[in-house]
Amino acid sequence: MAILPIIEAPDARLKQISAPVTVFDDALKTLVADMFETMYDAPGIGLAAIQVGVPARLVVVDLMEPDEDAAPEPVDDGHDHENCGHDHRPMKKVPRVFINPEILDPSEEFSVYSEGCLSVPDIYADVERPEACRLRWQDLDGVVHEEAMEGLMATCIQHEIDHLEGILFIDHLSRLKRNMALKKLEKARKMG
Ligand code: GNR
Ligand code: NI
């Protein structure tokens, strides 16, 4: 397993269109394992292969969810966990691999989410996308699946499929806002 370097904008490699995965071998499984390790380390909720320099139509996602089996751990940090309304249960990983993913019948309803991207670090902006869709994809054995997606999963998978087409979330912003984001990135990079 390895944590891979994540490519950041304005690197031209992020503009490539990724090629379909046709070989479902051990090298693919290793790449997926490395992509999960890289995503959890970042941390992020999704990662497309091109973000680690591999132009293949492959994405990993993990939105995590509260672990129903874990007892809520008592923590004494001065914050009123009994009454704060948050869910303080430990989270469990829900790793998902989507190979050659395709969006089917996107909803006519849109939702807005404040998106970020590991390739555009520390920049966040509202992006409007179809609120729900169906997704068709292949798993690590090449078996085809189809499932309805909504909410954050629908947002995230559309963000990832954009990466496969060479599109970043800032490409959905006005030219003014995109240029502001790119300037901010450039400045942050100069500052180290
Ligand atoms: O970690 C991530 N968070 C996120 C938040 C809102 C919408 C999309 C995302 S995906 C992003 C990780 C990433 O860059 N995936 O390509
Ligand atoms: Ni991204």
Side-chain angles (χ1 to χ4, degrees):
M1 295 263 285
I3 293 168
L4 308 171
I6 296 176
I7 294 173
E8 295 180 3
D11 194 304
R13 287 173 288 178
L14 292 169
K15 301 212 165 177
Q16 289 182 78
I17 295 180
S18 293
V21 172
T22 55
V23 183
F24 296 80
D25 60 1
D26 283 350
L28 183 68
K29 292 186 173 69
T30 301
L31 173 61
V32 165
D34 289 347
M35 284 175 61
F36 274 116
E37 196 180 358
T38 302
M39 181 184 75
Y40 290 129
D41 175 71
I45 59 171
L47 188 71
I50 190 59
Q51 293 180 276
V52 294
V54 180
R57 301 188 80 83
L58 158 64
V59 314
V60 297
V61 172
D62 194 334
L63 304 184
M64 311 271 253
E65 57 185 42
D67 188 346
E68 303 296 335
D69 299 328
E73 278 186 32
V75 270
D76 181 17
D77 57 4
H79 171 68
D80 186 358
H81 292 279
E82 295 299 314
N83 300 299
C84 68
H86 301 154
D87 194 331
H88 287 284
R89 268 178 307 194
M91 302 293 274
K92 71 158 177 274
K93 289 180 177 178
V94 188
R96 312 265 335 239
V97 182
F98 302 110
I99 300 171
N100 301 324
E102 285 174 63
I103 302 276
L104 310 170
D105 27 87
S107 63
E108 284 174 24
E109 288 177 7
F110 283 68
S111 65
V112 175
Y113 200 91
S114 178
E115 298 195 13
C117 181
L118 295 173
S119 296
V120 191
D122 302 317
I123 309 267
Y124 300 89
D126 284 354
V127 177
E128 193 177 50
R129 300 183 187 274
E131 144 74 18
C133 61
R134 289 191 67 75
L135 187 74
R136 181 183 293 156
W137 74 95
Q138 284 169 283
D139 63 23
L140 279 167
D141 299 314
V143 177
V144 176
H145 299 262
E146 218 181 282
E147 190 181 309
M149 302 291 184
E150 59 172 27
L152 182 56
M153 180 57 93
T155 295
C156 187
I157 197 67
Q158 290 175 76
H159 172 118
E160 301 310 336
I161 290 175
D162 270 356
H163 277 297
L164 306 186
E165 295 298 316
I167 296 166
L168 298 174
F169 82 96
I170 54 173
D171 296 327
H172 291 285
L173 309 179
S174 67
R175 194 174 63 178
L176 177 72
K177 284 188 180 174
R178 179 168 55 256
N179 286 341
M180 279 168 53
L182 288 169
K183 282 226 169 69
K184 204 171 149 186
L185 252 190
E186 190 186 25
K187 194 176 168 189
R189 192 162 296 127
K190 273 189 196 146
M191 305 281 283

